[in-house]
């Protein structure tokens, strides 16, 4: 199957699952439809049904590919071992579940395809706006079918959205102190399906992440890198879905990434 045919098929699947499962539950959840996997980490009936339908339909496209979904991994962490398989679909059925459960945006759906522990295609879909972000390795990044390149350098201080929730208090304090005066700080959207497009479109310029689970990041990293931005580990290593590492720095250009790594990187050195 060619990548263009695969892209068309996955986009159709995402839109179908959004229409039939995700959006009917938006602002229509009962208290019994929401559970807490761990403190502050929610899952809804829509997450579970979306992952089930996405897994079934994506699995039919490439039967030999493993299915690695966020909720399946929460139920059985051994599922994550399949990230190192020859091919794997990586699924976040609803990204930004906390927002979704609260009946507010942003939230999205994320799918990535990996081969030999490298992301080769990724989709980030915003069902409310019908915004489809897609990228394929070496082929570029696309927003609603139009090829996308990162916008021009920021005027004034770069805008930074730093996810610090999974950092130690010491790391967080050091990071914010190092960033002070260099960036215009804004709140994070609590949704990777929104954060990566913000970097690619230039409404944000710098983002930091401590937790870097593949269903949150594999597709977005490919999307931003293919658009001409840069996401990597703090030491410059590229992201691989099966790696059980933490810490990512994203920027809307390699120049901004290098500047941020120089300014902030000492916080994360062992």
């Amino acid at each position: 199957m060619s990548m263009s045919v695969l892209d068309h098929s996955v986009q159709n699947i995402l839109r179908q699952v959004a229409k039939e499962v995700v959006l009917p539950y938006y602002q229509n959840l009962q208290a019994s439809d929401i559970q807490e996997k761990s403190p502050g980490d929610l899952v809804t009936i829509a997450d579970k049904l979306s992952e089930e339908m996405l897994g079934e339909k994506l699995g039919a496209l490439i039967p030999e590919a493993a299915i690695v979904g966020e909720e399946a991994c929460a139920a059985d962490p051994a599922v994550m071992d399949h990230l190192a398989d020859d091919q794997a679909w990586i699924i976040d059925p609803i990204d930004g579940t906390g927002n979704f459960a609260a009946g507010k945006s942003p939230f999205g759906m994320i799918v990535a395809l990996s081969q030999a522990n490298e992301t080769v295609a990724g989709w980030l879909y915003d069902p409310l706006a019908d915004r489809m972000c897609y990228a394929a390795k070496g082929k570029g990044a696309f927003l609603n079918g139009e090829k996308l390149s990162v916008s021009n350098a920021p005027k004034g201080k770069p805008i930074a959205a730093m996810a610090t929730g999974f950092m130690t208090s010491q790391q967080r304090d050091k990071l914010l102190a190092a960033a002070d005066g260099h960036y215009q700080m804004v709140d994070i959207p609590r949704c990777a399906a929104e954060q990566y497009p913000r970097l690619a479109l230039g409404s944000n310029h710098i983002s930091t992440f401590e937790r870097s689970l593949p269903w949150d990041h594999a597709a977005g990293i490919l999307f931003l890198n293919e658009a001409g931005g840069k996401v990597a580990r703090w030491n410059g290593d590229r992201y691989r879905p099966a790696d059980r590492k933490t810490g990512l720095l994203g920027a809307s250009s390699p120049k901004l990434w290098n500047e941020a790594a120089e300014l902030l990187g000492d916080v994360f050195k062992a």
Side-chain angles (χ1 to χ4, degrees):
M1 185 185 302
S2 71
M3 194 58 79
S4 61
V5 171
L6 186 68
D7 170 37
H8 181 73
S9 298
V10 174
Q11 290 198 28
N12 285 341
I13 289 169
L14 283 165
R15 288 191 166 98
Q16 180 185 358
V17 176
K19 180 180 179 181
E20 296 182 11
V21 175
V22 176
L23 291 177
Y25 279 103
Y26 180 54
Q27 298 180 334
N28 196 33
L29 290 165
Q30 306 301 313
S32 59
D33 295 331
I34 305 170
Q35 297 176 321
E36 195 171 49
K37 293 185 287 188
S38 60
D41 189 8
L42 302 180
V43 61
T44 74
I45 187 173
D47 293 81
K48 296 177 180 179
L49 293 175
S50 173
E51 182 166 307
E52 181 181 323
M53 191 171 179
L54 285 169
E56 177 184 342
K57 292 185 174 296
L58 293 170
L61 288 180
I62 307 177
E64 61 272 25
I67 305 293
V68 182
E70 177 181 6
E71 305 315 327
C73 290
D76 179 8
V79 173
M80 288 190 72
D81 294 341
H82 290 291
L83 289 165
D85 286 6
D86 288 341
Q87 288 186 299
W89 288 111
I90 305 169
I91 302 170
D92 192 338
I94 299 178
D95 181 62
T97 296
N99 296 335
F100 180 83
K104 64 182 183 180
S105 61
F107 62 89
M109 303 161 69
I110 306 177
V111 169
L113 178 64
S114 67
Q115 293 181 352
N117 198 20
E118 185 170 8
T119 312
V120 296
W123 297 259
L124 303 97
Y125 181 52
D126 178 343
L128 291 178
D130 192 27
R131 182 188 68 194
M132 184 71 71
C133 299
Y134 162 68
K137 180 187 173 187
K139 305 279 187 187
F142 300 83
L143 176 63
N144 293 336
E146 298 293 326
K147 195 160 189 178
L148 178 69
S149 296
V150 293
S151 55
N152 295 328
K155 297 177 181 177
K157 290 181 182 178
I159 297 171
M162 297 186 176
T164 61
F166 294 95
M167 296 178 184
T168 66
S169 58
Q170 185 179 33
Q171 280 181 323
R172 183 170 56 250
D173 291 347
K174 286 184 176 180
L175 177 68
L176 296 178
D180 186 45
H182 297 276
Y183 301 113
Q184 178 186 338
M185 305 295 290
V186 296
D187 290 338
I188 61 171
R190 301 187 180 279
C191 173
E194 172 66 19
Q195 187 61 70
Y196 283 107
R198 287 185 183 184
L199 291 166
L201 293 167
S203 58
N204 289 176
H205 304 105
I206 299 291
S207 285
T208 62
F209 309 93
E210 179 62 6
R211 192 170 72 167
S212 57
L213 296 168
W215 42 84
D216 289 327
H217 293 280
I221 289 170
L222 180 67
F223 177 71
L224 183 55
N225 284 340
E226 286 289 331
K230 182 175 179 179
V231 193
R233 300 293 183 187
W234 284 94
N235 65 357
D237 286 351
R238 63 179 175 171
Y239 181 84
R240 290 184 176 274
D243 293 348
R244 308 291 179 97
K245 297 179 180 179
T246 58
L248 284 169
L249 173 63
S252 57
S253 74
K255 179 177 182 293
L256 286 171
W257 192 96
N258 290 336
E259 291 172 354
E262 178 70 22
L263 179 66
L264 308 173
D266 283 346
V267 176
F268 298 93
K269 289 180 180 176

